[in-house]
Amino acid sequence: YVMVIFLPSYLNGDDGIFNKSYYDLLIGFDITSFPSYYEPWGYTPLESVAFSIPTITTNLSGFGQWAAQKMKSKGKELNEGVGVINRTDNNYEEMVVEITEMLSEFAMNKATEVAKIRAAAYQISQQALWEKFIVFYKETYTFALAKK
């Protein structure tokens, strides 16, 4: 049994439909999909995996590009916690098919396999902790100061 919820609204607890915050709803999901056309980083898929919820995103989000580099499958398979779909200006239908296939495959998994995928999703999130990323901010800040 699969229930797809599409809610093009900001979940701040006052959306008129659920009236719950994003995080209150997120913890009830089995999987998420954020097929962004453009995201400089993409916090929503990262937040999803931080809650051990596998996610599908695109190669046009910074998070999707980063996650693909971290995984053996390069995001082509959801078994590592993040699925990364190729998205271009002209492949909407193809992208929809790929997302549908990933969701269908995920829905067919037994509970033990879902648990492994959820654990893998969480492990990806642990590689994106601030303590690991702050070095890049410091390097950028130092570079900018040197150029001033």
Side-chain angles (χ1 to χ4, degrees):
Y1 179 72
V2 175
M3 180 181 291
V4 176
I5 300 171
F6 175 71
L7 185 68
S9 174
Y10 188 74
L11 300 174
N12 61 3
D14 189 26
D15 55 68
I17 298 171
F18 296 110
N19 294 324
K20 293 187 179 281
S21 75
Y22 169 70
Y23 295 108
D24 288 339
L25 285 170
L26 181 62
I27 60 173
F29 295 160
D30 294 314
I31 188 170
T32 60
S33 179
F34 302 99
S36 299
Y37 184 76
Y38 172 75
E39 289 280 345
W41 174 246
Y43 284 103
T44 47
L46 174 56
E47 290 164 341
S48 182
V49 295
F51 280 82
S52 301
I53 300 164
T55 193
I56 300 169
T57 187
T58 72
N59 64 329
L60 295 182
S61 74
F63 175 77
Q65 293 173 14
W66 174 83
Q69 292 175 353
K70 299 290 179 187
M71 298 180 296
K72 291 177 187 170
S73 74
K74 302 300 180 200
K76 300 296 181 200
E77 299 173 15
L78 193 59
N79 64 349
E80 293 178 81
V82 179
V84 182
I85 302 297
N86 180 46
R87 184 151 190 199
T88 68
D89 289 336
N90 303 313
N91 75 334
Y92 178 81
E93 290 81 12
E94 178 184 318
M95 182 195 66
V96 169
V97 168
E98 287 185 57
I99 291 171
T100 302
E101 288 173 355
M102 276 193 182
L103 290 172
S104 296
E105 289 173 16
F106 182 79
M108 300 298 285
N109 284 319
K110 296 184 187 299
T112 53
E113 187 60 28
V114 169
K116 288 178 189 175
I117 297 169
R118 288 177 64 96
Y122 181 75
Q123 289 305 314
I124 287 283
S125 78
Q126 296 305 288
Q127 296 179 53
L129 294 174
W130 181 245
E131 65 190 34
K132 301 196 181 200
F133 279 0
I134 194 170
V135 64
F136 302 114
Y137 287 83
K138 288 180 178 178
E139 287 175 9
T140 303
Y141 186 73
T142 301
F143 176 78
L145 283 177
K147 291 291 185 182
K148 183 176 185 285

